[in-house]
Each structure stands twice: as C-alpha cells, then as structure tokens.
Amino acid sequence: MTFDTITRAWFGLLFLSAASVLIAAGFTETLGAGATGGLVLVFAWMKARVILSRYLGLWQAPVWLSGFNWALGLFCLLLLGLFLIPEVSP
C-alpha cells in the first residue's frame, strides 16, 4: 500500500464525515428525521467500507471484503429499521 492510497482513503473519509455533518446539521427539517438518519447511516457504511478495504488491506482478499460488506450492509439495514420504528408506530 502506497502513501497515495492511504492519503486518498483519508481524504475520502474526511469528505464522508463532512457530508454526514452537513446533512445532519442542515437538512433535518427539509428531508425529515428518517431520511436524514438514513443518509447519515449510508455515509457511515461507506466510511466503514473504506476503512476495511484500504486501511486493513482487505482489498487484497476480495472474498473476505465481500463477506464484510454483506455483514455491514445487513447490520446497517437492521440499524435503519430500528431507527425508523418510532416513526411508523402510532
């Protein structure tokens, strides 16, 4: 792994963090709490994928990376469902 790869991954994490802060701080009234929470969760999922693939080097083991992506995706769907339960219930 070269310095350039780590630097690009770091800038990607920085961008995703800034995007999630801007969405959470500025668009809650416009989008609603459910959509805002969903977007922040998607950004967190993308950040976890960058960390797993670039920092931990799982890009060299595509089967493991795929397994972790599926597990993270299912976990994020579970979290999204738990987050949206209060909006659906009367």
Side-chain angles (χ1 to χ4, degrees):
M1 182 178 309
T2 64
F3 179 75
D4 184 46
T5 304
I6 293 175
T7 305
R8 283 188 290 148
W10 185 79
F11 278 118
L13 291 172
L14 186 67
F15 171 75
L16 289 169
S17 296
S20 64
V21 167
L22 290 174
I23 291 291
F27 292 101
T28 304
E29 294 84 22
T30 307
L31 297 175
T36 303
L39 282 173
V40 170
L41 188 60
V42 166
F43 288 140
W45 180 39
M46 293 168 63
K47 287 169 47 177
R49 292 183 65 204
V50 168
I51 291 168
L52 285 171
S53 66
R54 295 299 167 194
Y55 283 109
L56 297 181
L58 285 181
W59 61 273
Q60 296 174 339
V63 175
W64 281 96
L65 182 61
S66 175
F68 274 108
N69 283 335
W70 274 101
L72 274 173
L74 292 174
F75 184 66
C76 284
L77 283 175
L78 173 71
L79 290 178
L80 182 62
L82 291 173
F83 179 74
L84 293 177
I85 285 175
E87 285 190 8
V88 176
S89 64

PDB file of all heavy atoms in Angstrom, residues 18-35:
ATOM      1  N   ALA A  18     -17.545  15.035   6.584  1.00  0.00           N
ATOM      2  CA  ALA A  18     -18.085  16.380   6.389  1.00  0.00           C
ATOM      3  C   ALA A  18     -19.488  16.323   5.790  1.00  0.00           C
ATOM      4  O   ALA A  18     -20.374  17.090   6.195  1.00  0.00           O
ATOM      5  CB  ALA A  18     -17.157  17.191   5.483  1.00  0.00           C
ATOM      6  N   ALA A  19     -19.721  15.408   4.862  1.00  0.00           N
ATOM      7  CA  ALA A  19     -21.049  15.278   4.256  1.00  0.00           C
ATOM      8  C   ALA A  19     -22.081  14.849   5.287  1.00  0.00           C
ATOM      9  O   ALA A  19     -23.200  15.376   5.306  1.00  0.00           O
ATOM     10  CB  ALA A  19     -20.998  14.289   3.099  1.00  0.00           C
ATOM     11  N   SER A  20     -21.719  13.925   6.157  1.00  0.00           N
ATOM     12  CA  SER A  20     -22.680  13.482   7.165  1.00  0.00           C
ATOM     13  C   SER A  20     -22.983  14.584   8.172  1.00  0.00           C
ATOM     14  O   SER A  20     -24.129  14.740   8.606  1.00  0.00           O
ATOM     15  CB  SER A  20     -22.184  12.219   7.875  1.00  0.00           C
ATOM     16  OG  SER A  20     -21.004  12.468   8.586  1.00  0.00           O
ATOM     17  N   VAL A  21     -21.984  15.391   8.519  1.00  0.00           N
ATOM     18  CA  VAL A  21     -22.219  16.511   9.440  1.00  0.00           C
ATOM     19  C   VAL A  21     -23.118  17.554   8.780  1.00  0.00           C
ATOM     20  O   VAL A  21     -24.055  18.064   9.399  1.00  0.00           O
ATOM     21  CB  VAL A  21     -20.884  17.140   9.894  1.00  0.00           C
ATOM     22  CG1 VAL A  21     -21.112  18.473  10.583  1.00  0.00           C
ATOM     23  CG2 VAL A  21     -20.149  16.188  10.810  1.00  0.00           C
ATOM     24  N   LEU A  22     -22.860  17.869   7.513  1.00  0.00           N
ATOM     25  CA  LEU A  22     -23.681  18.861   6.814  1.00  0.00           C
ATOM     26  C   LEU A  22     -25.122  18.385   6.655  1.00  0.00           C
ATOM     27  O   LEU A  22     -26.062  19.165   6.829  1.00  0.00           O
ATOM     28  CB  LEU A  22     -23.079  19.183   5.450  1.00  0.00           C
ATOM     29  CG  LEU A  22     -21.782  19.976   5.476  1.00  0.00           C
ATOM     30  CD1 LEU A  22     -21.210  20.109   4.072  1.00  0.00           C
ATOM     31  CD2 LEU A  22     -22.005  21.333   6.094  1.00  0.00           C
ATOM     32  N   ILE A  23     -25.304  17.118   6.335  1.00  0.00           N
ATOM     33  CA  ILE A  23     -26.660  16.567   6.200  1.00  0.00           C
ATOM     34  C   ILE A  23     -27.374  16.616   7.549  1.00  0.00           C
ATOM     35  O   ILE A  23     -28.534  17.034   7.638  1.00  0.00           O
ATOM     36  CB  ILE A  23     -26.610  15.124   5.661  1.00  0.00           C
ATOM     37  CG1 ILE A  23     -26.155  15.104   4.211  1.00  0.00           C
ATOM     38  CG2 ILE A  23     -27.943  14.415   5.805  1.00  0.00           C
ATOM     39  CD1 ILE A  23     -27.136  15.682   3.236  1.00  0.00           C
ATOM     40  N   ALA A  24     -26.708  16.189   8.596  1.00  0.00           N
ATOM     41  CA  ALA A  24     -27.341  16.153   9.919  1.00  0.00           C
ATOM     42  C   ALA A  24     -27.624  17.555  10.449  1.00  0.00           C
ATOM     43  O   ALA A  24     -28.632  17.770  11.120  1.00  0.00           O
ATOM     44  CB  ALA A  24     -26.457  15.390  10.900  1.00  0.00           C
ATOM     45  N   ALA A  25     -26.753  18.499  10.152  1.00  0.00           N
ATOM     46  CA  ALA A  25     -26.922  19.839  10.703  1.00  0.00           C
ATOM     47  C   ALA A  25     -27.879  20.711   9.904  1.00  0.00           C
ATOM     48  O   ALA A  25     -28.566  21.550  10.472  1.00  0.00           O
ATOM     49  CB  ALA A  25     -25.564  20.537  10.785  1.00  0.00           C
ATOM     50  N   GLY A  26     -27.941  20.503   8.592  1.00  0.00           N
ATOM     51  CA  GLY A  26     -28.687  21.448   7.789  1.00  0.00           C
ATOM     52  C   GLY A  26     -29.938  20.964   7.104  1.00  0.00           C
ATOM     53  O   GLY A  26     -30.745  21.769   6.673  1.00  0.00           O
ATOM     54  N   PHE A  27     -30.120  19.657   6.978  1.00  0.00           N
ATOM     55  CA  PHE A  27     -31.228  19.182   6.169  1.00  0.00           C
ATOM     56  C   PHE A  27     -32.253  18.368   6.939  1.00  0.00           C
ATOM     57  O   PHE A  27     -33.109  17.722   6.344  1.00  0.00           O
ATOM     58  CB  PHE A  27     -30.698  18.344   5.001  1.00  0.00           C
ATOM     59  CG  PHE A  27     -29.941  19.155   3.996  1.00  0.00           C
ATOM     60  CD1 PHE A  27     -28.560  19.149   4.010  1.00  0.00           C
ATOM     61  CD2 PHE A  27     -30.601  19.922   3.074  1.00  0.00           C
ATOM     62  CE1 PHE A  27     -27.844  19.895   3.093  1.00  0.00           C
ATOM     63  CE2 PHE A  27     -29.903  20.677   2.149  1.00  0.00           C
ATOM     64  CZ  PHE A  27     -28.515  20.670   2.155  1.00  0.00           C
ATOM     65  N   THR A  28     -32.207  18.395   8.255  1.00  0.00           N
ATOM     66  CA  THR A  28     -33.152  17.611   9.039  1.00  0.00           C
ATOM     67  C   THR A  28     -34.578  18.114   8.834  1.00  0.00           C
ATOM     68  O   THR A  28     -35.504  17.320   8.687  1.00  0.00           O
ATOM     69  CB  THR A  28     -32.778  17.654  10.528  1.00  0.00           C
ATOM     70  OG1 THR A  28     -31.431  17.204  10.674  1.00  0.00           O
ATOM     71  CG2 THR A  28     -33.679  16.758  11.343  1.00  0.00           C
ATOM     72  N   GLU A  29     -34.768  19.423   8.803  1.00  0.00           N
ATOM     73  CA  GLU A  29     -36.107  19.973   8.609  1.00  0.00           C
ATOM     74  C   GLU A  29     -36.597  19.733   7.188  1.00  0.00           C
ATOM     75  O   GLU A  29     -37.777  19.491   6.954  1.00  0.00           O
ATOM     76  CB  GLU A  29     -36.137  21.475   8.915  1.00  0.00           C
ATOM     77  CG  GLU A  29     -35.889  21.810  10.374  1.00  0.00           C
ATOM     78  CD  GLU A  29     -34.408  21.864  10.715  1.00  0.00           C
ATOM     79  OE1 GLU A  29     -33.584  22.056   9.806  1.00  0.00           O
ATOM     80  OE2 GLU A  29     -34.075  21.695  11.892  1.00  0.00           O
ATOM     81  N   THR A  30     -35.704  19.814   6.218  1.00  0.00           N
ATOM     82  CA  THR A  30     -36.087  19.657   4.822  1.00  0.00           C
ATOM     83  C   THR A  30     -36.407  18.205   4.480  1.00  0.00           C
ATOM     84  O   THR A  30     -37.434  17.915   3.883  1.00  0.00           O
ATOM     85  CB  THR A  30     -34.959  20.153   3.905  1.00  0.00           C
ATOM     86  OG1 THR A  30     -34.607  21.473   4.280  1.00  0.00           O
ATOM     87  CG2 THR A  30     -35.388  20.127   2.459  1.00  0.00           C
ATOM     88  N   LEU A  31     -35.525  17.293   4.842  1.00  0.00           N
ATOM     89  CA  LEU A  31     -35.676  15.895   4.467  1.00  0.00           C
ATOM     90  C   LEU A  31     -36.506  15.085   5.453  1.00  0.00           C
ATOM     91  O   LEU A  31     -37.037  14.047   5.089  1.00  0.00           O
ATOM     92  CB  LEU A  31     -34.296  15.237   4.336  1.00  0.00           C
ATOM     93  CG  LEU A  31     -33.377  15.782   3.260  1.00  0.00           C
ATOM     94  CD1 LEU A  31     -32.019  15.113   3.349  1.00  0.00           C
ATOM     95  CD2 LEU A  31     -33.979  15.571   1.889  1.00  0.00           C
ATOM     96  N   GLY A  32     -36.559  15.509   6.672  1.00  0.00           N
ATOM     97  CA  GLY A  32     -37.210  14.728   7.713  1.00  0.00           C
ATOM     98  C   GLY A  32     -36.173  13.909   8.467  1.00  0.00           C
ATOM     99  O   GLY A  32     -35.065  13.639   7.970  1.00  0.00           O
ATOM    100  N   ALA A  33     -36.548  13.499   9.661  1.00  0.00           N
ATOM    101  CA  ALA A  33     -35.603  12.787  10.521  1.00  0.00           C
ATOM    102  C   ALA A  33     -35.245  11.416   9.962  1.00  0.00           C
ATOM    103  O   ALA A  33     -34.102  10.982  10.048  1.00  0.00           O
ATOM    104  CB  ALA A  33     -36.170  12.650  11.927  1.00  0.00           C
ATOM    105  N   GLY A  34     -36.201  10.717   9.381  1.00  0.00           N
ATOM    106  CA  GLY A  34     -35.939   9.377   8.861  1.00  0.00           C
ATOM    107  C   GLY A  34     -34.965   9.378   7.698  1.00  0.00           C
ATOM    108  O   GLY A  34     -34.023   8.589   7.654  1.00  0.00           O
ATOM    109  N   ALA A  35     -35.174  10.268   6.739  1.00  0.00           N
ATOM    110  CA  ALA A  35     -34.281  10.343   5.578  1.00  0.00           C
ATOM    111  C   ALA A  35     -32.898  10.834   5.989  1.00  0.00           C
ATOM    112  O   ALA A  35     -31.883  10.345   5.482  1.00  0.00           O
ATOM    113  CB  ALA A  35     -34.870  11.263   4.522  1.00  0.00           C
TER     114      ALA A  35
END
